[in-house]
Amino acid sequence: MIELDRDAMTPLYVQLANVLRERIRAGEIPVGRRLPSQAELEVETGGTVSRRTIKSALEVLTDEGLVQGKGVFVIALPQS
């Protein structure tokens, strides 16, 4: 389960990107593996975030060069 803090100053999409980045760093989602789908992430967050929020989080990881492609695959480890 992914728990996000709605009361935090950090936007939800940034919090979600941080969680996914940490999962990649920890090897829970290894390079070459597909990230959970938007529907799966919606379930993992307990339905508390919109698909747009999830898409924004994935865009952050894409912009960082960590993921790419349809189905969103991990392509690199985050820099420490």
Side-chain angles (χ1 to χ4, degrees):
M1 184 69 139
I2 297 174
E3 293 186 24
L4 305 175
D5 184 356
R6 290 193 163 281
D7 297 323
M9 295 294 289
T10 305
L12 292 174
Y13 79 95
V14 173
Q15 291 180 50
L16 180 55
N18 291 342
V19 168
L20 294 173
R21 189 182 305 103
E22 185 51 38
R23 285 183 175 182
I24 293 167
R25 179 177 284 123
E28 292 175 40
I29 308 172
V31 172
R33 172 91 37 94
R34 184 182 65 82
L35 285 180
S37 69
Q38 289 184 17
E40 291 167 330
L41 289 171
E42 192 173 12
V43 168
E44 263 198 89
T45 60
T48 61
V49 297
S50 69
R51 293 263 176 121
R52 180 67 213 148
T53 298
I54 294 167
K55 185 173 179 177
S56 293
L58 297 176
E59 287 170 355
V60 168
L61 299 177
T62 299
D63 290 346
E64 292 176 3
L66 301 180
V67 300
Q68 75 174 16
K70 192 121 179 116
V72 191
F73 287 82
V74 176
I75 60 169
L77 291 173
Q79 298 295 319
S80 296

